Amino acid sequence: MAKYIFVTGGVVSSLGKGIAAASIGCLLESRGFTVTLQKMDPYLNVDPGTMSPFQHGEVFVTDDGAETDLDLGHYERFTHAKLSQRNNLTSGRVYEQIIFRERRGDYLGKTVQVIPHVTDEIKTWARRLNEEADVVIVEIGGTVGDIESLPFMEAIRQLRQELGRRNSMHVHVTLVPYIAAAGELKTKPTQHSVKELRAIGIQPDMLICRAERPLPDEVKAKIALFCDVAKEAVITAKDVESVYEVPLVFAEQAVDEAVLELLELRDRARPRNLGRWMDMVRRLKNPQGEVHIGLVGKYVEYEDSYKSLNEALLHGGLAHERRTRITWIDAERLSWPGCVEQLQPYDAILVPGGFGKRGVGGMIHAIRYAREYKVPYFGICLGMQTMVIEFARNVCGLKEADSTEFNPATPHRVIYKLRELKGVDELGGTMRLGAYPCRLTEGSLAHRAYGMTEISERHRHRYEFNREYEEILARHGMRIAGQTPDGTYVEICEIPDHPWFLGCQFHPEFKSKPLEPHPLFKAFIGAALEHRRRRIEAAEGVREETSA
Ligand code: GLN
């Protein structure tokens, strides 16, 4: 039987509930327990797959092809949990299932209601993870007081009752604002949030208080008294430079001890071992310089739209003891040849995944710049597709080469819907989603980066490389460096006559972790640093010449 930790949030959103849940998971692993995490989102979309990354942040993809909330990315980066469809639930999914059953007549004439039918379904989802780990951490999206989240709150209230006090606990993440004019940390919003929680029958066992500065003892004591929580279970989540510091901040305040005590797990725990994690954070905070990556895309305003990508680039830098500085460049503002000067300051260029035609022209200019000026280039998903289009147009002379996504009538559809032709679309799955095996070409950049030939990576796309153009592309210097073992899909393309120029159809960023930087990001940042070194040397050479 697993122990359950339920994580709710109060006062405001964006307090880092997901990071808090993931950090508790990380700490429990450091004590020798296995963990898994689940996100329950109260909105009515069946999954985030159809939601705009502007609004909701990135869609995170699991091995089994589930399109999930970005918090699952944090969970995987902070722990060893293997996540799947079972780890992300929305109200939309719950209602979809209940209404399907209702139409099928499963309820035998009964009235179908939020309580018990919706709450039972939510409990079933949480209980399904019972066998997967020693501890299951369930995070409820939204903020206490939201109308939408009520069925979830009721479900976890009931679960606590059913599982037993010693087998479950409630963690509430709140805000303790610092009011500069009064020079004081204010506990009232936390008190109100807990009051709201208690009104629906939930008494928190631990409060994680997000604050600008550490809560002094007397503030902790006050919160403990008014919220009926042990003082050791009032935790400050002070603002930190990097999210990876949070497990260490929690460890300093013995969050793991409090959890083990509450869940009666102390006997089974081993001493805390965070050595590798601490070393990683130390290296992250003491880089030996920086590397500057230009990201050319269309979602430039909102960094959550590419959460995993940002993290993976950071991990890649970490592998070289460098801080990765990322500058977003709005693809729509790039033109040829104007972009040549605009893109000069970057050590490497990356075009990430995306959908739709907007900005594609600018991405193609950026890729041309990287190719002609021998600047390292990494294309991910759409970034590989645009790399193939650019090469077909500007190197192979197929001026109208395109993807059928952007121009269905193109005479040279170098990127097209192979699966539609194979009849896969009729099955309702319009996207190629989740993990697929890929075989790498010996001696390719990819092969060198991974150090093996069989890999597995996660996908989320509709269009594919058209092998009818393989021959002409190869003749002009583009090689296929990875494909599915049956040879159907091309997964990686490269230009061998270039320091580092690689595009992949999959999303490697979903599998990068701070303790295991992804091989492609590590290799890409390595190439960027090499370019940076050469660029600086050349600039110094010029300076010496002019001063001589
Ligand atoms: N729009 C492209 C496709 O559907 C690329 C998708 C992506 O970058 N995730 O194939």
Side-chain angles (χ1 to χ4, degrees), residues 353-356 380-382 385 405 460-463 505 507:
F355 293 84
I380 294 177
C381 204
L382 177 67
Q385 298 175 354
E405 181 178 8
R460 183 171 185 254
H461 61 107
R462 289 196 180 84
Y463 296 82
Q505 189 55 78
H507 289 273

Side-chain angles (χ1 to χ4, degrees), residues 7 62 100 121 128 172 252 284 332 374 380 406 419 505 525:
V7 181
T62 54
F100 174 76
E121 183 64 23
R128 226 172 252 156
H172 191 54
E252 267 166 36
L284 195 65
E332 285 185 297
K374 305 268 188 224
I380 294 177
F406 316 132
R419 283 163 324 118
Q505 189 55 78
I525 298 291

Side-chain angles (χ1 to χ4, degrees), residues 16 19 33 40 229 232 275 297 353 407 412 444:
I19 300 286
F33 296 98
M40 295 187 168
V229 173
E232 312 73 72
N407 177 12
H412 295 296
S444 60

